[in-house]
Amino acid sequence: MTSTEKNIEFPQSILDECNRVIQLFPEGKQKSALLRILHIAQAHFGWLSVEVMDYIARMLHIQPIEVYEVATFYSMYDTKKTGKVKLEVCQTGPCMIEGAERIITHIEKRLGIKVGETTKDGIFTLKGVECLGACGYAPMLQAGENFHEHLTEEKVDALIDEYRANPTANYMGMIND
Ligand code: FES
């Protein structure tokens, strides 16, 4: 990962929200706001570029590497541009036992991409993630704000069709099982 000198701008409303979060922590402990600031930045920019992470490092008075290592550790952060709809399939134990691998393979074939890739039309990104806390409803995936549970190949096909027709639905809680 290479840092650049290029400056990006955070709009005032986003800066205000970041400052509000930073002030929740004691003086000298600004780094504790990092996870929340990364969420705010990703919600605004769609993903976390090196320029955005460098900006956050300056904001929190920490080294860029400290931001990179957190952003690349947690699967909820994206350090590459993603599609409009992220299909995040849980691949931890209980979901694997209930067929997560089969679901991932089906999505890969259906979309013509592998895990970590984005479709050419920029609509879908397929991710494999760790436990999303819905183990009792395995296998499952998260798309934006929606959880889709007890997945089957047929359910996945219907989801893909619905999201392709209306990609913003994953951030509006519009498609539910
Ligand atoms: S193992 Fe998949 S949600 Fe917990």
Side-chain angles (χ1 to χ4, degrees), residues 59-176:
M59 181 191 289
L60 296 176
H61 307 294
I62 58 178
Q63 295 300 315
I65 186 67
E66 296 177 87
V67 181
Y68 305 161
E69 60 194 14
V70 170
T72 55
F73 180 79
Y74 294 106
S75 63
M76 67 266 209
Y77 299 123
D78 295 299
T79 54
K80 282 194 309 190
K81 193 165 189 223
T82 66
K84 294 185 176 120
V85 180
K86 284 185 283 184
L87 300 175
E88 301 182 275
V89 184
C90 173
Q91 53 182 20
T92 303
C95 281
M96 280 305 234
I97 290 168
E98 292 297 318
E101 214 163 0
R102 197 182 68 244
I103 295 299
I104 289 173
T105 302
H106 183 74
I107 297 173
E108 286 179 336
K109 280 192 190 143
R110 175 77 201 268
L111 296 179
I113 56 173
K114 294 286 181 197
V115 171
E117 294 179 347
T118 298
T119 52
K120 285 197 176 67
D121 59 11
I123 295 181
F124 293 103
T125 295
L126 176 59
K127 293 176 69 176
V129 299
E130 299 307 323
C131 181
L132 291 167
C135 324
Y137 311 99
M140 59 81 63
L141 67 77
Q142 180 173 5
E145 296 175 348
N146 300 329
F147 271 22
H148 300 287
E149 299 157 344
H150 295 306
L151 293 175
T152 61
E153 282 89 341
E154 294 72 28
K155 267 190 172 180
V156 166
D157 283 342
L159 277 181
I160 288 172
D161 290 342
E162 289 180 77
Y163 283 131
R164 181 167 277 131
N166 185 8
T168 57
N170 71 107
Y171 283 104
M172 297 159 66
M174 285 173 59
I175 298 178
N176 288 302

